[in-house]
Amino acid sequence: MNTIKEQSPKTLEDELYPVGLICLGVAAVCLPVFLKFVLPWFDDRHLGCAFWTFLGAYCPGCGGTRAVKALLQGHFLESLWYHPVVPYGVALYLMFMISWTFAKLHLFGIKTGVKFRAGYLYAMLVIIAVNFVLKNVLKFCFGIVML
Amino acid sequence: MDGQNFENGQSTENQVQSETSYNNYQNNVETTSYQGVPVVEDAGSGKANGMQIASLVVGIFSILICCCYGVPSIIAGIVGIILAIMGNKQGKNGVGTAGLVCSIIGLVLGTVFLILMVLGVAAGSMDSMLNEYY
């Protein structure tokens, strides 16, 4: 007698979790290579930000690499200063992945992880835009150089 | 006589019974029809699917790296646009639109900086800037 095995509906979080694991693997390989070989190559040739070179202004991503390095060294506030989207993105990623790992392994009685909300990504866009505008306004209007 | 409907050739008693059993069938279908079937979130209801989310993430990334002399931003922008178009085919919503917009912005910024770099190299200004440091 055939019985149909009931399956719980597949959610968006079920699709995002393996993608998050893949991203972790890629970052674990690419980040050390980038910091140890690629970045020094650019620094040795004084090839900095093209936005800064041609326009003399901060680009939307200026400070991002320094923020990643500071975060890897454990300097959270310094990372926030260089570019707030980096610690925000990392915190978001860790919150999602850790909660769903606990849920899938049934640890600490956690049944479900953090739900994905599009608002998290919209907030990321707002942080990038505000950071970009604020740094350039401080530089050009008040002469304050933040990076 | 006794509820017999001669016009339809069917007794009203049987008609009521068949209607009742039909209603019971309908109720059963409504309560048990979608159990056990794996359902991916319905994109037509306005919720984002994986491709739309990926397009927004890639679009944001392409904007952040636009200063890296254009090429990575152009590549990320094109990937983001493709993901947004594929995701929007399953149903449009804000995330897909935002992903498309961000990818286009990243692509445009990357193109602008690539052209500036090429013009700079052609005009020799890049060489002179680099020579200042040597």
Side-chain angles (χ1 to χ4, degrees), chain B residues 24-35:
Chain B
N24 287 340
Y25 170 75
Q26 282 292 87
N27 290 337
N28 288 336
V29 166
E30 283 169 4
T31 56
T32 62
S33 60
Y34 295 113
Q35 285 180 0

Side-chain angles (χ1 to χ4, degrees), chain A:
Chain A
M1 186 169 139
N2 294 328
T3 56
I4 299 173
K5 190 176 179 181
E6 286 188 5
Q7 297 174 359
S8 55
K10 195 176 180 183
T11 63
L12 187 62
E13 287 77 15
D14 288 327
E15 294 180 357
L16 288 177
Y17 184 76
V19 173
L21 290 176
I22 292 168
C23 288
L24 182 66
V26 169
V29 171
C30 294
L31 204 55
V33 170
F34 177 75
L35 291 174
K36 194 157 175 64
F37 299 106
V38 177
L39 207 57
W41 189 88
F42 275 87
D43 287 343
D44 291 343
R45 285 152 187 80
H46 303 281
L47 292 173
C49 175
F51 210 99
W52 180 266
T53 303
F54 291 108
L55 302 175
Y58 296 116
C59 76
C62 262
T65 311
R66 275 167 281 189
V68 169
K69 282 164 103 175
L71 199 62
L72 289 173
Q73 289 165 0
H75 304 135
F76 179 79
L77 289 176
E78 197 177 320
S79 174
L80 206 63
W81 173 264
Y82 283 133
H83 205 308
V85 86
V86 170
Y88 170 79
V90 170
L92 204 63
Y93 174 84
L94 287 176
M95 193 173 66
F96 181 85
M97 293 303 293
I98 289 173
S99 66
W100 278 102
T101 303
F102 284 171
K104 286 182 186 298
L105 297 176
H106 306 289
L107 295 174
F108 307 108
I110 296 172
K111 293 180 182 177
T112 181
V114 172
K115 291 285 181 192
F116 173 80
R117 300 268 181 263
Y120 296 145
L121 293 180
Y122 294 144
M124 193 176 274
L125 275 174
V126 170
I127 289 170
I128 292 169
V130 169
N131 175 71
F132 171 65
V133 169
L134 190 67
K135 280 183 173 150
N136 283 303
V137 163
L138 285 173
K139 180 181 183 283
F140 289 107
C141 297
F142 301 99
I144 300 170
V145 178
M146 289 182 71
L147 295 176

Side-chain angles (χ1 to χ4, degrees), chain B residues 71-91:
Chain B
V71 175
S73 188
I74 290 171
I75 295 170
I78 291 171
V79 170
I81 288 169
I82 293 170
L83 286 170
I85 291 171
M86 288 169 68
N88 286 343
K89 278 183 182 174
Q90 299 173 18

Side-chain angles (χ1 to χ4, degrees), chain B residues 44-101:
Chain B
S45 65
K47 294 191 178 177
N49 58 50
M51 282 200 191
Q52 290 169 328
I53 294 165
S55 79
L56 183 54
V57 171
V58 172
I60 290 171
F61 183 67
S62 75
I63 292 174
L64 286 174
I65 59 168
C66 68
C67 61
C68 297
Y69 298 96
V71 175
S73 188
I74 290 171
I75 295 170
I78 291 171
V79 170
I81 288 169
I82 293 170
L83 286 170
I85 291 171
M86 288 169 68
N88 286 343
K89 278 183 182 174
Q90 299 173 18
K92 286 190 178 180
N93 57 44
V95 175
T97 307
L100 187 64
V101 168

